Amino acid sequence: MKISDCRGRLWLGLGVVCLAAWGTSATAADAVRDVTGATPVQLAAPAVPAQSATAPVAASGTIQELRDRIQNKEVTELRTTYNGRYGASLLFYPQTMGYYVALFHEGQFWRVVKLSNEKKAEALYGDFVRQTQVLADAEISRIKLEAQKAMIERQLADSEARLSAVQNDLAIQRQQEQALAQNQQAVREQAAALETERSAARIRLTDLQGQIRSLEAQQNSADSELVRSVKTPAKKTRRH
């Protein structure tokens, strides 16, 4: 399949077409993880049946051929780029001085091109890298939107909790204010009753004090009269 056959189409839809053209889509997650080292290293084998280095290449397409090369540790990773869950790899096959340019998603190869020309392989790798950028844009936007949504939901939960706390505080404050108002009213009523009782008691006290002074005056007057009567002797009657 030529590269130009796949250009200008939606790459997600292209993945299905290319998979059908290039072979089966068995899992190659182990292989993908092994081609992501910081420096070029020989790829470790994915979880596929072992083959000897001299065994004939499977007739199921370039994708399976690359898996077999990886299984037999016959290829070396030269470049790998990730964009989101999409990736592109440039692999070197020393026995034929050939190259494999792979496009994968979530650890599964869905486009593999075999080339013998280094410049064409590098150019195709660059094209695949740009494709991963385009394909990952929607996913990256989704990731950001999910994070923003989660943050807003956390803020919403915090705001709801804060609202509930403020409402509880306000309810307690109103209860306290109502109780305080009732207490103040009761205190004022008690004070008014005490003032009435104090005024009545003062009036009663004034009346009692007046009575006491009157009685004391009467008693003092009687005592004085008694004293005068004792001091003044009675006149004797003359006999003729």
Side-chain angles (χ1 to χ4, degrees):
M1 181 180 290
K2 297 181 180 179
I3 300 172
S4 58
D5 294 337
C6 296
R7 291 179 179 173
R9 303 176 184 175
L10 291 174
W11 291 106
L12 289 175
L14 176 62
V16 177
V17 176
C18 291
L19 277 175
W22 293 106
T24 59
S25 58
T27 302
D30 294 338
V32 174
R33 284 193 292 270
D34 290 333
V35 300
T36 59
T39 59
V41 294
Q42 191 172 36
L43 296 178
V48 294
Q51 285 183 324
S52 65
T54 59
V57 175
S60 57
T62 309
I63 290 177
Q64 186 59 45
E65 178 180 319
L66 177 57
R67 291 198 188 100
D68 294 337
R69 300 296 186 203
I70 294 171
Q71 171 69 29
N72 297 320
K73 301 181 180 180
E74 297 173 346
V75 292
T76 301
E77 175 247 0
L78 300 181
R79 305 181 192 278
T80 295
T81 299
Y82 274 99
N83 280 291
R85 292 182 294 176
Y86 296 90
S89 290
L90 176 62
L91 312 170
F92 179 60
Y93 182 46
Q95 292 186 17
T96 62
M97 298 297 291
Y99 299 88
Y100 292 92
V101 185
L103 190 64
F104 54 87
H105 174 250
E106 291 187 332
Q108 294 188 8
F109 294 125
W110 60 280
R111 178 80 193 280
V112 175
V113 177
K114 182 179 178 180
L115 296 168
S116 59
N117 186 285
E118 180 181 1
K119 291 184 178 180
K120 290 182 178 180
E122 289 280 4
L124 182 58
Y125 171 74
D127 185 46
F128 278 10
V129 169
R130 288 187 291 273
Q131 291 177 30
T132 63
Q133 293 174 340
V134 174
L135 291 168
D137 281 345
E139 182 178 9
I140 292 172
S141 297
R142 177 187 60 79
I143 292 171
K144 291 179 179 179
L145 289 172
E146 284 181 348
Q148 293 173 356
K149 177 176 175 288
M151 181 180 67
I152 292 173
E153 288 177 346
R154 290 193 300 271
Q155 292 175 344
L156 179 62
D158 292 341
S159 297
E160 289 176 346
R162 178 59 181 164
L163 176 62
S164 178
V166 171
Q167 288 175 337
N168 290 336
D169 289 345
L170 182 60
I172 293 173
Q173 179 181 349
R174 287 175 176 172
Q175 291 175 357
Q176 292 176 341
E177 288 176 350
Q178 184 178 4
L180 179 61
Q182 293 174 350
N183 181 67
Q184 289 292 311
Q185 179 64 25
V187 169
R188 285 192 292 270
E189 291 175 355
Q190 292 175 0
L194 290 172
E195 177 62 24
T196 300
E197 293 175 359
R198 184 189 67 83
S199 298
R202 182 171 290 280
I203 293 172
R204 179 61 178 164
L205 176 61
T206 301
D207 181 61
L208 291 175
Q209 288 176 343
Q211 293 180 22
I212 290 171
R213 286 193 295 271
S214 177
L215 291 174
E216 286 179 343
Q218 293 177 14
Q219 185 179 11
N220 290 336
S221 176
D223 290 344
S224 298
E225 190 67 30
L226 178 60
V227 170
R228 282 196 299 269
S229 64
V230 170
K231 288 183 177 181
T232 303
K235 291 181 179 182
K236 297 181 179 181
T237 304
R238 291 181 180 181
R239 295 180 178 180
H240 295 285

mmCIF file of all heavy atoms in Angstrom, residues 84-123:
data_model
loop_
_atom_site.group_PDB
_atom_site.id
_atom_site.type_symbol
_atom_site.label_atom_id
_atom_site.label_comp_id
_atom_site.label_asym_id
_atom_site.label_seq_id
_atom_site.Cartn_x
_atom_site.Cartn_y
_atom_site.Cartn_z
ATOM 1 N N GLY A 84 0.191 11.675 23.345
ATOM 2 C CA GLY A 84 -0.942 11.036 23.987
ATOM 3 C C GLY A 84 -0.749 9.524 23.975
ATOM 4 O O GLY A 84 0.315 9.013 24.341
ATOM 5 N N ARG A 85 -1.760 8.810 23.516
ATOM 6 C CA ARG A 85 -1.672 7.352 23.435
ATOM 7 C C ARG A 85 -1.256 6.873 22.047
ATOM 8 O O ARG A 85 -1.277 5.681 21.770
ATOM 9 C CB ARG A 85 -3.013 6.734 23.831
ATOM 10 C CG ARG A 85 -3.358 6.913 25.304
ATOM 11 C CD ARG A 85 -4.669 6.259 25.660
ATOM 12 N NE ARG A 85 -5.797 6.918 25.000
ATOM 13 C CZ ARG A 85 -7.058 6.487 25.079
ATOM 14 N NH1 ARG A 85 -7.332 5.397 25.769
ATOM 15 N NH2 ARG A 85 -8.028 7.141 24.471
ATOM 16 N N TYR A 86 -0.881 7.825 21.204
ATOM 17 C CA TYR A 86 -0.422 7.490 19.857
ATOM 18 C C TYR A 86 1.093 7.597 19.809
ATOM 19 O O TYR A 86 1.703 8.402 20.511
ATOM 20 C CB TYR A 86 -1.034 8.436 18.827
ATOM 21 C CG TYR A 86 -2.535 8.321 18.727
ATOM 22 C CD1 TYR A 86 -3.356 9.111 19.534
ATOM 23 C CD2 TYR A 86 -3.142 7.430 17.849
ATOM 24 C CE1 TYR A 86 -4.743 9.008 19.457
ATOM 25 C CE2 TYR A 86 -4.523 7.326 17.758
ATOM 26 C CZ TYR A 86 -5.318 8.105 18.568
ATOM 27 O OH TYR A 86 -6.669 7.999 18.491
ATOM 28 N N GLY A 87 1.709 6.781 18.954
ATOM 29 C CA GLY A 87 3.155 6.816 18.846
ATOM 30 C C GLY A 87 3.620 6.412 17.456
ATOM 31 O O GLY A 87 2.908 5.759 16.691
ATOM 32 N N ALA A 88 4.835 6.829 17.146
ATOM 33 C CA ALA A 88 5.476 6.465 15.887
ATOM 34 C C ALA A 88 6.889 6.007 16.198
ATOM 35 O O ALA A 88 7.562 6.593 17.060
ATOM 36 C CB ALA A 88 5.484 7.635 14.914
ATOM 37 N N SER A 89 7.354 4.963 15.486
ATOM 38 C CA SER A 89 8.689 4.429 15.714
ATOM 39 C C SER A 89 9.401 4.194 14.388
ATOM 40 O O SER A 89 8.770 3.822 13.386
ATOM 41 C CB SER A 89 8.631 3.110 16.495
ATOM 42 O OG SER A 89 8.231 3.326 17.829
ATOM 43 N N LEU A 90 10.695 4.429 14.415
ATOM 44 C CA LEU A 90 11.566 4.106 13.290
ATOM 45 C C LEU A 90 12.506 3.003 13.752
ATOM 46 O O LEU A 90 13.273 3.187 14.703
ATOM 47 C CB LEU A 90 12.358 5.343 12.865
ATOM 48 C CG LEU A 90 13.395 5.129 11.757
ATOM 49 C CD1 LEU A 90 12.721 4.659 10.464
ATOM 50 C CD2 LEU A 90 14.193 6.405 11.517
ATOM 51 N N LEU A 91 12.440 1.858 13.077
ATOM 52 C CA LEU A 91 13.192 0.675 13.470
ATOM 53 C C LEU A 91 14.153 0.274 12.342
ATOM 54 O O LEU A 91 13.807 0.383 11.153
ATOM 55 C CB LEU A 91 12.243 -0.486 13.777
ATOM 56 C CG LEU A 91 11.071 -0.141 14.706
ATOM 57 C CD1 LEU A 91 10.069 -1.277 14.739
ATOM 58 C CD2 LEU A 91 11.566 0.172 16.091
ATOM 59 N N PHE A 92 15.303 -0.207 12.735
ATOM 60 C CA PHE A 92 16.350 -0.570 11.766
ATOM 61 C C PHE A 92 16.556 -2.085 11.762
ATOM 62 O O PHE A 92 16.646 -2.717 12.825
ATOM 63 C CB PHE A 92 17.647 0.129 12.134
ATOM 64 C CG PHE A 92 18.798 -0.193 11.228
ATOM 65 C CD1 PHE A 92 18.725 0.088 9.868
ATOM 66 C CD2 PHE A 92 19.956 -0.779 11.731
ATOM 67 C CE1 PHE A 92 19.789 -0.210 9.031
ATOM 68 C CE2 PHE A 92 21.022 -1.081 10.887
ATOM 69 C CZ PHE A 92 20.943 -0.799 9.536
ATOM 70 N N TYR A 93 16.619 -2.658 10.534
ATOM 71 C CA TYR A 93 16.836 -4.100 10.371
ATOM 72 C C TYR A 93 18.216 -4.292 9.740
ATOM 73 O O TYR A 93 18.384 -4.146 8.521
ATOM 74 C CB TYR A 93 15.743 -4.683 9.486
ATOM 75 C CG TYR A 93 15.829 -6.177 9.287
ATOM 76 C CD1 TYR A 93 16.061 -7.043 10.360
ATOM 77 C CD2 TYR A 93 15.665 -6.734 8.023
ATOM 78 C CE1 TYR A 93 16.136 -8.403 10.176
ATOM 79 C CE2 TYR A 93 15.727 -8.108 7.831
ATOM 80 C CZ TYR A 93 15.966 -8.934 8.911
ATOM 81 O OH TYR A 93 16.027 -10.296 8.724
ATOM 82 N N PRO A 94 19.246 -4.608 10.557
ATOM 83 C CA PRO A 94 20.622 -4.634 10.061
ATOM 84 C C PRO A 94 20.882 -5.655 8.960
ATOM 85 O O PRO A 94 21.732 -5.437 8.087
ATOM 86 C CB PRO A 94 21.442 -4.969 11.315
ATOM 87 C CG PRO A 94 20.560 -4.633 12.460
ATOM 88 C CD PRO A 94 19.171 -4.886 11.988
ATOM 89 N N GLN A 95 20.182 -6.772 8.958
ATOM 90 C CA GLN A 95 20.485 -7.832 7.997
ATOM 91 C C GLN A 95 20.292 -7.383 6.551
ATOM 92 O O GLN A 95 21.006 -7.829 5.645
ATOM 93 C CB GLN A 95 19.626 -9.056 8.290
ATOM 94 C CG GLN A 95 19.982 -9.758 9.598
ATOM 95 C CD GLN A 95 19.213 -11.055 9.786
ATOM 96 O OE1 GLN A 95 18.657 -11.596 8.818
ATOM 97 N NE2 GLN A 95 19.203 -11.557 11.004
ATOM 98 N N THR A 96 19.312 -6.518 6.331
ATOM 99 C CA THR A 96 19.064 -6.030 4.964
ATOM 100 C C THR A 96 19.311 -4.534 4.847
ATOM 101 O O THR A 96 19.051 -3.956 3.789
ATOM 102 C CB THR A 96 17.612 -6.325 4.564
ATOM 103 O OG1 THR A 96 16.733 -5.617 5.444
ATOM 104 C CG2 THR A 96 17.318 -7.809 4.623
ATOM 105 N N MET A 97 19.790 -3.893 5.964
ATOM 106 C CA MET A 97 19.961 -2.446 6.011
ATOM 107 C C MET A 97 18.635 -1.742 5.693
ATOM 108 O O MET A 97 18.590 -0.660 5.107
ATOM 109 C CB MET A 97 21.042 -1.993 5.024
ATOM 110 C CG MET A 97 22.423 -2.568 5.315
ATOM 111 S SD MET A 97 23.072 -2.016 6.928
ATOM 112 C CE MET A 97 23.350 -0.282 6.572
ATOM 113 N N GLY A 98 17.546 -2.401 6.121
ATOM 114 C CA GLY A 98 16.214 -1.865 5.866
ATOM 115 C C GLY A 98 15.621 -1.203 7.101
ATOM 116 O O GLY A 98 16.189 -1.224 8.203
ATOM 117 N N TYR A 99 14.454 -0.630 6.899
ATOM 118 C CA TYR A 99 13.803 0.143 7.960
ATOM 119 C C TYR A 99 12.321 -0.239 8.042
ATOM 120 O O TYR A 99 11.692 -0.567 7.029
ATOM 121 C CB TYR A 99 13.923 1.643 7.694
ATOM 122 C CG TYR A 99 15.348 2.135 7.640
ATOM 123 C CD1 TYR A 99 16.063 2.107 6.436
ATOM 124 C CD2 TYR A 99 15.987 2.610 8.776
ATOM 125 C CE1 TYR A 99 17.374 2.548 6.377
ATOM 126 C CE2 TYR A 99 17.307 3.064 8.733
ATOM 127 C CZ TYR A 99 17.995 3.015 7.527
ATOM 128 O OH TYR A 99 19.292 3.437 7.474
ATOM 129 N N TYR A 100 11.791 -0.160 9.243
ATOM 130 C CA TYR A 100 10.361 -0.272 9.485
ATOM 131 C C TYR A 100 9.901 1.033 10.136
ATOM 132 O O TYR A 100 10.492 1.496 11.100
ATOM 133 C CB TYR A 100 10.036 -1.432 10.425
ATOM 134 C CG TYR A 100 10.306 -2.801 9.837
ATOM 135 C CD1 TYR A 100 11.528 -3.426 10.024
ATOM 136 C CD2 TYR A 100 9.318 -3.452 9.109
ATOM 137 C CE1 TYR A 100 11.780 -4.683 9.490
ATOM 138 C CE2 TYR A 100 9.561 -4.718 8.569
ATOM 139 C CZ TYR A 100 10.795 -5.325 8.766
ATOM 140 O OH TYR A 100 11.034 -6.565 8.239
ATOM 141 N N VAL A 101 8.861 1.581 9.580
ATOM 142 C CA VAL A 101 8.257 2.784 10.166
ATOM 143 C C VAL A 101 6.877 2.380 10.658
ATOM 144 O O VAL A 101 6.043 1.898 9.869
ATOM 145 C CB VAL A 101 8.159 3.932 9.154
ATOM 146 C CG1 VAL A 101 7.650 5.192 9.840
ATOM 147 C CG2 VAL A 101 9.516 4.185 8.514
ATOM 148 N N ALA A 102 6.663 2.521 11.955
ATOM 149 C CA ALA A 102 5.431 2.008 12.569
ATOM 150 C C ALA A 102 4.631 3.137 13.219
ATOM 151 O O ALA A 102 5.185 4.073 13.794
ATOM 152 C CB ALA A 102 5.772 0.951 13.619
ATOM 153 N N LEU A 103 3.321 2.989 13.107
ATOM 154 C CA LEU A 103 2.375 3.883 13.786
ATOM 155 C C LEU A 103 1.536 3.015 14.706
ATOM 156 O O LEU A 103 1.018 1.977 14.278
ATOM 157 C CB LEU A 103 1.499 4.596 12.759
ATOM 158 C CG LEU A 103 0.608 5.747 13.221
ATOM 159 C CD1 LEU A 103 1.456 6.905 13.745
ATOM 160 C CD2 LEU A 103 -0.260 6.231 12.059
ATOM 161 N N PHE A 104 1.425 3.380 15.977
ATOM 162 C CA PHE A 104 0.696 2.536 16.923
ATOM 163 C C PHE A 104 -0.168 3.362 17.850
ATOM 164 O O PHE A 104 0.006 4.581 18.005
ATOM 165 C CB PHE A 104 1.657 1.662 17.734
ATOM 166 C CG PHE A 104 2.739 2.420 18.447
ATOM 167 C CD1 PHE A 104 2.536 2.939 19.714
ATOM 168 C CD2 PHE A 104 3.988 2.611 17.841
ATOM 169 C CE1 PHE A 104 3.533 3.624 20.375
ATOM 170 C CE2 PHE A 104 4.986 3.305 18.502
ATOM 171 C CZ PHE A 104 4.767 3.814 19.768
ATOM 172 N N HIS A 105 -1.128 2.679 18.443
ATOM 173 C CA HIS A 105 -2.085 3.311 19.364
ATOM 174 C C HIS A 105 -2.341 2.356 20.514
ATOM 175 O O HIS A 105 -2.713 1.203 20.313
ATOM 176 C CB HIS A 105 -3.393 3.621 18.630
ATOM 177 C CG HIS A 105 -4.471 4.146 19.538
ATOM 178 N ND1 HIS A 105 -5.597 3.415 19.850
ATOM 179 C CD2 HIS A 105 -4.589 5.330 20.203
ATOM 180 C CE1 HIS A 105 -6.366 4.124 20.661
ATOM 181 N NE2 HIS A 105 -5.782 5.284 20.892
ATOM 182 N N GLU A 106 -2.092 2.840 21.729
ATOM 183 C CA GLU A 106 -2.285 2.039 22.939
ATOM 184 C C GLU A 106 -1.562 0.701 22.835
ATOM 185 O O GLU A 106 -2.091 -0.342 23.217
ATOM 186 C CB GLU A 106 -3.773 1.823 23.222
ATOM 187 C CG GLU A 106 -4.502 3.090 23.637
ATOM 188 C CD GLU A 106 -5.928 2.823 24.069
ATOM 189 O OE1 GLU A 106 -6.527 1.847 23.579
ATOM 190 O OE2 GLU A 106 -6.431 3.579 24.908
ATOM 191 N N GLY A 107 -0.329 0.746 22.341
ATOM 192 C CA GLY A 107 0.494 -0.452 22.308
ATOM 193 C C GLY A 107 0.240 -1.386 21.157
ATOM 194 O O GLY A 107 0.838 -2.453 21.092
ATOM 195 N N GLN A 108 -0.641 -1.029 20.226
ATOM 196 C CA GLN A 108 -0.950 -1.915 19.104
ATOM 197 C C GLN A 108 -0.536 -1.234 17.801
ATOM 198 O O GLN A 108 -0.957 -0.109 17.517
ATOM 199 C CB GLN A 108 -2.434 -2.250 19.060
ATOM 200 C CG GLN A 108 -2.898 -3.080 20.245
ATOM 201 C CD GLN A 108 -4.322 -3.553 20.085
ATOM 202 O OE1 GLN A 108 -4.922 -3.378 19.027
ATOM 203 N NE2 GLN A 108 -4.867 -4.171 21.123
ATOM 204 N N PHE A 109 0.283 -1.939 17.010
ATOM 205 C CA PHE A 109 0.631 -1.438 15.692
ATOM 206 C C PHE A 109 -0.598 -1.443 14.800
ATOM 207 O O PHE A 109 -1.313 -2.443 14.707
ATOM 208 C CB PHE A 109 1.717 -2.317 15.045
ATOM 209 C CG PHE A 109 3.042 -2.264 15.747
ATOM 210 C CD1 PHE A 109 3.655 -3.425 16.190
ATOM 211 C CD2 PHE A 109 3.676 -1.057 15.968
ATOM 212 C CE1 PHE A 109 4.884 -3.384 16.824
ATOM 213 C CE2 PHE A 109 4.910 -1.004 16.602
ATOM 214 C CZ PHE A 109 5.517 -2.171 17.041
ATOM 215 N N TRP A 110 -0.862 -0.339 14.125
ATOM 216 C CA TRP A 110 -1.956 -0.339 13.161
ATOM 217 C C TRP A 110 -1.521 0.212 11.805
ATOM 218 O O TRP A 110 -2.321 0.274 10.881
ATOM 219 C CB TRP A 110 -3.167 0.424 13.703
ATOM 220 C CG TRP A 110 -2.943 1.873 14.048
ATOM 221 C CD1 TRP A 110 -2.381 2.356 15.167
ATOM 222 C CD2 TRP A 110 -3.313 3.003 13.260
ATOM 223 N NE1 TRP A 110 -2.353 3.720 15.148
ATOM 224 C CE2 TRP A 110 -2.938 4.141 13.977
ATOM 225 C CE3 TRP A 110 -3.927 3.160 12.014
ATOM 226 C CZ2 TRP A 110 -3.142 5.432 13.510
ATOM 227 C CZ3 TRP A 110 -4.137 4.445 11.549
ATOM 228 C CH2 TRP A 110 -3.741 5.569 12.279
ATOM 229 N N ARG A 111 -0.244 0.547 11.688
ATOM 230 C CA ARG A 111 0.317 0.926 10.388
ATOM 231 C C ARG A 111 1.814 0.648 10.431
ATOM 232 O O ARG A 111 2.519 1.177 11.283
ATOM 233 C CB ARG A 111 0.061 2.406 10.107
ATOM 234 C CG ARG A 111 0.656 2.894 8.776
ATOM 235 C CD ARG A 111 -0.228 2.509 7.613
ATOM 236 N NE ARG A 111 0.452 2.698 6.344
ATOM 237 C CZ ARG A 111 0.587 3.863 5.707
ATOM 238 N NH1 ARG A 111 0.110 4.952 6.278
ATOM 239 N NH2 ARG A 111 1.199 3.926 4.551
ATOM 240 N N VAL A 112 2.317 -0.180 9.553
ATOM 241 C CA VAL A 112 3.740 -0.480 9.465
ATOM 242 C C VAL A 112 4.138 -0.442 7.993
ATOM 243 O O VAL A 112 3.488 -1.076 7.151
ATOM 244 C CB VAL A 112 4.083 -1.863 10.071
ATOM 245 C CG1 VAL A 112 5.563 -2.175 9.849
ATOM 246 C CG2 VAL A 112 3.752 -1.884 11.562
ATOM 247 N N VAL A 113 5.192 0.306 7.710
ATOM 248 C CA VAL A 113 5.697 0.406 6.340
ATOM 249 C C VAL A 113 7.155 -0.038 6.348
ATOM 250 O O VAL A 113 7.948 0.391 7.183
ATOM 251 C CB VAL A 113 5.570 1.840 5.803
ATOM 252 C CG1 VAL A 113 6.173 1.935 4.402
ATOM 253 C CG2 VAL A 113 4.109 2.275 5.789
ATOM 254 N N LYS A 114 7.489 -0.895 5.391
ATOM 255 C CA LYS A 114 8.855 -1.409 5.263
ATOM 256 C C LYS A 114 9.538 -0.677 4.116
ATOM 257 O O LYS A 114 9.015 -0.641 2.990
ATOM 258 C CB LYS A 114 8.805 -2.911 5.005
ATOM 259 C CG LYS A 114 10.165 -3.585 4.897
ATOM 260 C CD LYS A 114 9.965 -5.076 4.664
ATOM 261 C CE LYS A 114 11.284 -5.799 4.506
ATOM 262 N NZ LYS A 114 11.100 -7.257 4.266
ATOM 263 N N LEU A 115 10.723 -0.088 4.398
ATOM 264 C CA LEU A 115 11.438 0.696 3.401
ATOM 265 C C LEU A 115 12.917 0.313 3.412
ATOM 266 O O LEU A 115 13.456 -0.084 4.444
ATOM 267 C CB LEU A 115 11.294 2.202 3.678
ATOM 268 C CG LEU A 115 9.872 2.779 3.581
ATOM 269 C CD1 LEU A 115 9.853 4.179 4.154
ATOM 270 C CD2 LEU A 115 9.387 2.778 2.147
ATOM 271 N N SER A 116 13.540 0.485 2.262
ATOM 272 C CA SER A 116 14.983 0.230 2.175
ATOM 273 C C SER A 116 15.783 1.519 2.072
ATOM 274 O O SER A 116 17.008 1.501 2.222
ATOM 275 C CB SER A 116 15.292 -0.659 0.954
ATOM 276 O OG SER A 116 14.843 -0.022 -0.240
ATOM 277 N N ASN A 117 15.101 2.631 1.840
ATOM 278 C CA ASN A 117 15.755 3.919 1.687
ATOM 279 C C ASN A 117 15.692 4.693 3.000
ATOM 280 O O ASN A 117 14.613 4.927 3.542
ATOM 281 C CB ASN A 117 15.084 4.708 0.554
ATOM 282 C CG ASN A 117 15.816 6.009 0.259
ATOM 283 O OD1 ASN A 117 15.715 6.955 1.014
ATOM 284 N ND2 ASN A 117 16.532 6.030 -0.859
ATOM 285 N N GLU A 118 16.852 5.090 3.504
ATOM 286 C CA GLU A 118 16.906 5.768 4.805
ATOM 287 C C GLU A 118 16.170 7.106 4.786
ATOM 288 O O GLU A 118 15.417 7.421 5.706
ATOM 289 C CB GLU A 118 18.361 5.983 5.212
ATOM 290 C CG GLU A 118 18.506 6.689 6.558
ATOM 291 C CD GLU A 118 19.960 6.923 6.929
ATOM 292 O OE1 GLU A 118 20.852 6.555 6.130
ATOM 293 O OE2 GLU A 118 20.192 7.479 8.037
ATOM 294 N N LYS A 119 16.379 7.899 3.723
ATOM 295 C CA LYS A 119 15.743 9.215 3.667
ATOM 296 C C LYS A 119 14.230 9.094 3.601
ATOM 297 O O LYS A 119 13.502 9.839 4.264
ATOM 298 C CB LYS A 119 16.263 9.993 2.455
ATOM 299 C CG LYS A 119 17.719 10.419 2.576
ATOM 300 C CD LYS A 119 18.142 11.266 1.384
ATOM 301 C CE LYS A 119 19.596 11.723 1.535
ATOM 302 N NZ LYS A 119 20.043 12.557 0.377
ATOM 303 N N LYS A 120 13.754 8.136 2.814
ATOM 304 C CA LYS A 120 12.311 7.930 2.745
ATOM 305 C C LYS A 120 11.757 7.450 4.089
ATOM 306 O O LYS A 120 10.661 7.841 4.502
ATOM 307 C CB LYS A 120 11.979 6.927 1.650
ATOM 308 C CG LYS A 120 12.212 7.459 0.246
ATOM 309 C CD LYS A 120 11.811 6.423 -0.804
ATOM 310 C CE LYS A 120 12.002 6.966 -2.217
ATOM 311 N NZ LYS A 120 11.625 5.981 -3.253
ATOM 312 N N ALA A 121 12.522 6.602 4.756
ATOM 313 C CA ALA A 121 12.083 6.113 6.063
ATOM 314 C C ALA A 121 12.018 7.260 7.071
ATOM 315 O O ALA A 121 11.057 7.380 7.842
ATOM 316 C CB ALA A 121 13.028 5.020 6.558
ATOM 317 N N GLU A 122 13.053 8.127 7.042
ATOM 318 C CA GLU A 122 13.058 9.282 7.947
ATOM 319 C C GLU A 122 11.888 10.218 7.628
ATOM 320 O O GLU A 122 11.226 10.729 8.532
ATOM 321 C CB GLU A 122 14.385 10.029 7.835
ATOM 322 C CG GLU A 122 15.577 9.297 8.431
ATOM 323 C CD GLU A 122 15.664 9.433 9.944
ATOM 324 O OE1 GLU A 122 14.761 10.033 10.542
ATOM 325 O OE2 GLU A 122 16.633 8.901 10.522
ATOM 326 N N ALA A 123 11.638 10.436 6.342
ATOM 327 C CA ALA A 123 10.537 11.316 5.945
ATOM 328 C C ALA A 123 9.193 10.741 6.376
ATOM 329 O O ALA A 123 8.312 11.455 6.868
ATOM 330 C CB ALA A 123 10.571 11.546 4.435
#
